[in-house]
Amino acid sequence: MTAATTEPAPLQPVASHPATGFWASYGQAWVRTPGSALYLLAVFVLAMVSVSLLASLFWTGVGLLILVIGLPLIVLTLLIARGFGVADRFLLLLTGQPGIAEPEWNRDAPEATGFWVTLTRPIRNTHYWLYLVHGMIVNPIISTISFTLTVVWLSVGLGGLTYWFWGLFLPRNWSSGDGSEGEWGHYVADFMPWLFGGWSSWAVEIALYLVAGIVFTFTMPWVLGGLARGHHAVAKGMLGRWESDELAAEVRAEAAARGAAVHAEDVALRRLERDIHDGPQQRLVRLQMDLAALERRAESGDTDAAADLARDARGHAKAALDELRALSSGVAPPLLQDRGLAAALDAVATASPLWVQVEIDPAVDRAVSQEVARTVYFIVAELMTNAVKHSGATGVTLRASLRRTPAGAPTHLDVWVVDNGRGGAAITSGHGLEGLRERVAGLRGVLVVTSPVGGPTSVGAHIPLTALP
């Protein structure tokens, strides 16, 4: 029994309009200020530790290059520099700036192995050297500048606003060079009588500190935020991911997908060969023997025996035909070519002896290529067969849907086969689910299996329909 339904489009949340205006943006800047201040103080400590450790190790390694120990020491320095760079990128998350993507640390071909290849890999990767320059030269310089400005703004801003309290605990007089004593607020009042005429020295000091505190506190989000953005820009350029990293990752992913697809096809062909040998071939051999015996009986005039042999031969021919049809379901039926993936999946569900609920997006036929359609059909047919043979299920849900971008373009095909059987299925080397995973990997996709003991079993194939970044 099948029930064809179309999954309704999910409701889209109403986009909230962020508050605009000077005070709204200023408030948002203040929200990020504590994290920026914490980062600017912490990164200075990190930079001082990194420059001390990296410079010592690196120049020691350079001096020992004539010996065997020099090269491993330089490699160790590069690995430590990577660690300091990763720590800097992690601390930058405190500032509210976007995260910096991890670069490609291994650009070697998959077959490139060996002791010297592994040892010299950091030396042959530019990212390691940029991390070293960042941790040993660039970050200490910019961190010293930003730390100084951060301390000034925090101390003047917060100290000026609270001077009326903590200034009470300071000595009020100071000694001048000629031995006289005085208060600096008194001299300011004498210098600007038009502004501070009649004010006490203590009142002048409080007023000036308060003005400085207000100015520095008001500008603190912009100053500290600007310093944090400067650190982020430098880190993004030196510690981030490049376009060439994307190309290298794409090449490796394509190579891995191609290898998985080739292995999956090889396993499928060997299995098909074994199934043909054990099934239809044996039936056809038996049919050939029965026809030969039938010929002898017919020549001898034993019509009853000939009729029995004819009936047996017809039974073997029918069994061979049924087995060939079952094997052809794992290749590609004409229905898939003529009417598309949705109709072919519905036919698989109809042919199943189990109750099947079908939920297929009719748009899959327009979005899915023939290569993807053949693989998805094979996967679904195999999973439906497994549900019948091994799960003990009474019902199955077959769902195929598209993931889309906000603009509506399909990006992934998600296919789920969920049965209400006993569960306990797992991907094991050399077994059916492993072959299905390799088939999905050949399309740069992922096979997900969730099958707790007691059921239900959910197997999902998630296949990208566009080139991955």
Side-chain angles (χ1 to χ4, degrees), residues 402-454:
L402 295 173
R403 265 186 280 168
R404 302 177 182 272
T405 63
T411 60
H412 288 75
L413 172 64
D414 297 325
V415 180
W416 287 96
V417 176
V418 183
D419 66 62
N420 60 356
R422 64 177 66 94
I427 299 178
T428 307
S429 179
H431 290 74
L433 289 178
E434 173 68 18
L436 296 184
R437 182 172 66 177
E438 291 180 345
R439 280 184 173 269
V440 175
L443 297 175
R444 307 281 300 278
V446 178
L447 186 74
V448 179
V449 178
T450 304
S451 182
V453 176

Side-chain angles (χ1 to χ4, degrees), residues 174-379:
W174 53 272
S175 299
S176 60
D178 57 1
S180 62
E181 295 182 351
E183 297 176 351
W184 67 268
H186 172 72
Y187 291 96
V188 174
D190 291 341
F191 183 73
M192 292 186 293
W194 50 272
L195 182 61
F196 299 109
W199 288 38
S200 67
S201 175
W202 173 241
V204 172
E205 292 179 13
I206 291 179
L208 293 179
Y209 271 116
L210 183 61
V211 170
I214 292 174
V215 172
F216 276 74
T217 302
F218 186 79
T219 58
M220 190 179 299
W222 298 326
V223 174
L224 300 190
L227 294 175
R229 287 192 294 272
H231 275 272
H232 184 270
V234 173
K236 185 177 181 180
M238 301 188 69
L239 309 181
R241 193 175 183 87
W242 301 341
E243 291 185 2
S244 57
D245 293 330
E246 305 292 349
L247 295 176
E250 183 75 13
V251 169
R252 278 201 308 277
E254 288 290 348
R258 190 182 306 112
V262 170
H263 185 264
E265 289 298 329
D266 180 66
V267 172
L269 288 175
R270 291 180 182 275
R271 178 182 176 183
L272 181 61
E273 179 183 3
R274 182 180 65 251
D275 291 342
I276 291 176
H277 178 271
D278 296 340
Q281 180 175 326
Q282 300 299 323
R283 297 284 187 183
L284 293 175
V285 170
R286 178 62 183 274
L287 177 60
Q288 183 182 19
M289 296 172 60
D290 288 346
L291 290 176
L294 176 61
E295 182 181 3
R296 291 194 297 270
R297 294 292 187 275
E299 291 177 352
S300 63
D302 189 353
T303 56
D304 294 336
D308 292 338
L309 289 173
R311 283 190 294 270
D312 292 341
R314 185 175 63 180
H316 289 303
K318 182 179 182 302
L321 181 60
D322 292 340
E323 291 178 353
L324 287 174
R325 285 175 177 171
L327 291 174
S328 67
S329 65
V331 184
L335 182 63
L336 179 63
Q337 305 291 333
D338 298 338
R339 297 181 54 190
L341 178 61
L345 294 181
D346 189 72
V348 172
T350 303
S352 175
L354 303 177
W355 184 90
V356 182
Q357 179 180 356
V358 181
E359 302 174 6
I360 299 178
D361 188 342
V364 297
D365 290 332
R366 297 189 301 271
V368 174
S369 65
Q370 285 295 326
E371 180 185 7
V372 174
R374 285 193 299 270
T375 300
V376 170
Y377 175 83
F378 175 85
I379 291 171

Side-chain angles (χ1 to χ4, degrees), residues 61-73:
V62 171
L64 295 176
L65 272 178
I66 193 172
L67 303 177
V68 179
I69 192 61
L71 183 61
L73 195 57

Side-chain angles (χ1 to χ4, degrees), residues 82 101-107 125-128 240-242 244-250 252:
R82 172 181 170 179
E102 186 83 7
E104 285 293 317
W105 298 109
N106 180 15
R107 294 193 174 194
N125 192 320
T126 310
H127 285 296
Y128 281 96
R241 193 175 183 87
W242 301 341
S244 57
D245 293 330
E246 305 292 349
L247 295 176
E250 183 75 13
R252 278 201 308 277

